[in-house]
Amino acid sequence: MPKQVDHEERRRRIADAVCALIDEQGLEAATLRDVAARAEVSMGAVQRCFRTKEEMLHFAVAHIGRQVTERARARLLAAPAQSPASTVGHLAHELALLQTRYRAQARTWLAFLAAAAVHPALAAGLRTSYAELEALLARLIADATEQSLGPAADHPLWPAPERLDAAREARTLLALADGLTAHVLIGHRTTEEAEQLLHDHLVRLWA
Amino acid sequence: MPKQVDHEERRRRIADAVCALIDEQGLEAATLRDVAARAEVSMGAVQRCFRTKEEMLHFAVAHIGRQVTERARARLLAAPAQSPASTVGHLAHELALLQTRYRAQARTWLAFLAAAAVHPALAAGLRTSYAELEALLARLIADATEQSLGPAADHPLWPAPERLDAAREARTLLALADGLTAHVLIGHRTTEEAEQLLHDHLVRLWA
DNA sequence: CCGGTTCCGATGCGAGCGCATCGGAAAGTG
DNA sequence: CACTTTCCGATGCGCTCGCATCGGAACCGG
């Protein structure tokens, strides 16, 4: 068995280069040559890792999706002490990729989002991430309402306290976060405004 | 003065071709050659109408922006009889570009949105449209709350009925609509789900 | 030490891109 | 009708793209 540079490691390295280029100059800037240069590997190496450019982009989508979902999961496990409600808040803020240090991810994500509207193969990768994030949010919201309302207690005087539909709220929250992110990226909102709007939405949610 | 084919007319024709191509195959498919073919003009004509490709795209952004905002304004003027609240609902639905016949506009819009995150010149055009739509929505929401709560009546028993911040709600609604549209386009939501979520959001807004 | 296999980086190729250029058609003027 | 001016469509150019190819380096068993 001949020498073997860890292929998976290299793939991730290339995917990072793809994302960096997309962040800086858009999707069409992610050419094989520039990606190879950015990843500091030869162009042939890129071609060996991925049979075609489309396959490379497909992997990059999954790659950035993993980064986001894993960060979300980590955030969840790291803060079990907080109230579920505030955890939802923090998570939503993180999903919205509003913080400056996630600006690059946000731009990349948006680029893939637009591309996915035309190339179904990319859409599949994005949907996977969205489904996972949504499930995470829904579970968290369900926990939060459970806790704030008490477990399945039918109050006699206030019989139908409009128990939240967790799935519905998770979907709405996710869409709102995406929309706000996009508006921030094109400069139609400041980060602060977006954060405020997201916060207000959550406040009303718990009310 | 020699012959003169209406330039403005031609520009709009070309912009339509640009949008059609973007809808079908994405932004990078809008090459000068293909645009010219689709618009059924010569390539030279395109170059004379727009000095550079970037200028063409810039015009196309403004073009589609005008289409959306004008449709919104028309919707407003055509239905002054309805309650402002339901007008907001209809308008939001239309802004979300959820209906099948606006799918093409939605895809084009999303493509420009992603491009604008990288090319500031395009972002300016989008921001103009967003600002207008947002103002429209805000005014409408203000009217609706005015009507439902009565004009500036401070009720003695229910002193602070949480009068809506129209600007805030307009911003949230716009972002939500955009996010939902994107999710529908990549197949993460069905049109029906998105409509339902939008509807639910509005219901809670008026409550 | 060596032949064979496996992997690698560089180069070549055809296609398509945006843009510049050019010859000729159309319209106005004496 | 001849000349000038204005506009138009077609072609050419330089470049970059994704992908295929190839000679050589690295590593193995014997």
Side-chain angles (χ1 to χ4, degrees):
Chain A
M1 195 173 297
K3 72 175 171 189
Q4 179 78 347
V5 180
D6 186 350
H7 257 232
E8 214 47 42
E9 152 78 19
R10 174 123 63 171
R11 290 184 134 215
R12 266 176 280 129
R13 178 196 195 82
I14 292 175
D16 283 332
V18 169
C19 293
L21 283 171
I22 291 180
D23 163 48
E24 293 162 11
Q25 316 172 55
L27 223 173
E28 62 273 17
T31 70
L32 293 189
R33 283 164 179 80
D34 293 351
V35 166
R38 173 62 82 113
E40 289 176 305
V41 300
S42 75
M43 198 173 134
V46 177
Q47 292 185 264
R48 209 165 313 101
C49 279
F50 308 103
R51 231 167 319 172
T52 162
K53 182 187 178 181
E54 185 186 325
E55 188 178 312
M56 177 182 78
L57 292 179
H58 192 91
F59 181 86
V61 168
H63 180 67
I64 196 173
R66 267 194 304 271
Q67 288 184 353
V68 175
T69 57
E70 276 177 16
R71 210 174 57 222
R73 251 197 307 269
R75 160 71 77 174
L76 231 70
L77 295 179
Q82 313 178 27
S83 78
S86 94
T87 306
V88 171
H90 288 136
L91 185 54
H93 262 90
E94 204 148 307
L95 291 189
L97 299 171
L98 291 176
Q99 305 166 60
T100 316
R101 72 169 178 279
Y102 298 140
R103 187 63 57 92
Q105 278 189 4
R107 255 195 287 263
T108 309
W109 187 274
L110 181 60
F112 278 132
L113 193 64
V118 171
H119 302 299
L122 286 179
L126 275 184
R127 280 199 299 266
T128 304
S129 300
Y130 271 124
E132 186 160 350
L133 293 175
E134 194 173 303
L136 228 59
L137 268 181
R139 195 150 47 84
L140 212 51
I141 292 179
D143 289 354
T145 63
E146 195 80 11
Q147 173 168 320
S148 88
L149 291 180
D154 269 306
H155 194 290
L157 290 182
W158 197 3
E162 292 263 356
R163 194 173 222 98
L164 287 176
D165 181 339
R168 163 159 58 98
E169 298 310 332
R171 294 170 174 195
T172 304
L173 194 51
L174 204 57
L176 179 60
D178 266 14
L180 285 175
T181 304
H183 289 183
V184 168
L185 285 183
I186 67 166
H188 177 245
R189 283 270 166 279
T190 68
T191 303
E192 292 75 21
E193 288 172 337
E195 281 177 353
Q196 184 66 45
L197 290 171
L198 202 54
H199 177 77
D200 292 348
H201 177 79
L202 287 168
V203 165
R204 179 176 325 167
L205 206 160
W206 307 127
Chain B
M1 193 174 297
K3 73 176 171 190
Q4 177 78 346
V5 181
D6 185 351
H7 258 234
E8 215 46 44
E9 151 78 20
R10 173 121 70 173
R11 289 182 138 219
R12 269 176 278 130
R13 177 198 197 80
I14 292 175
D16 283 332
V18 169
C19 293
L21 283 172
I22 292 180
D23 162 49
E24 293 163 9
Q25 314 171 57
L27 224 174
E28 63 272 16
T31 70
L32 292 188
R33 282 162 181 82
D34 293 353
V35 165
R38 173 62 81 112
E40 290 176 305
V41 301
S42 76
M43 199 173 132
V46 177
Q47 290 185 264
R48 205 163 314 100
C49 280
F50 307 103
R51 232 166 319 173
T52 164
K53 182 187 178 181
E54 186 185 326
E55 187 178 313
M56 177 182 78
L57 291 179
H58 193 93
F59 181 87
V61 168
H63 180 67
I64 197 173
R66 269 193 303 271
Q67 288 184 353
V68 174
T69 56
E70 277 177 16
R71 211 174 56 221
R73 252 195 308 269
R75 159 71 76 173
L76 232 69
L77 295 178
Q82 314 177 26
S83 78
S86 92
T87 306
V88 171
H90 288 136
L91 185 54
H93 263 90
E94 205 148 308
L95 291 189
L97 299 173
L98 291 175
Q99 306 165 61
T100 316
R101 71 169 177 281
Y102 297 140
R103 186 63 57 93
Q105 278 190 3
R107 254 194 288 262
T108 308
W109 188 272
L110 181 59
F112 277 131
L113 193 65
V118 171
H119 304 298
L122 286 178
L126 275 184
R127 280 199 299 264
T128 304
S129 301
Y130 271 123
E132 185 160 352
L133 293 175
E134 194 172 302
L136 229 58
L137 267 180
R139 195 150 46 84
L140 212 52
I141 292 178
D143 289 353
T145 63
E146 194 81 10
Q147 174 168 319
S148 86
L149 292 179
D154 268 305
H155 197 290
L157 290 182
W158 197 4
E162 292 264 357
R163 195 172 221 100
L164 287 177
D165 181 340
R168 163 159 58 99
E169 299 307 333
R171 295 170 173 195
T172 304
L173 195 51
L174 205 57
L176 179 60
D178 266 13
L180 286 174
T181 303
H183 289 182
V184 168
L185 285 183
I186 67 165
H188 177 244
R189 285 268 166 277
T190 67
T191 304
E192 292 75 20
E193 287 172 338
E195 283 177 354
Q196 183 66 45
L197 290 171
L198 202 54
H199 176 77
D200 291 348
H201 177 79
L202 287 169
V203 165
R204 179 176 325 167
L205 206 161
W206 306 127

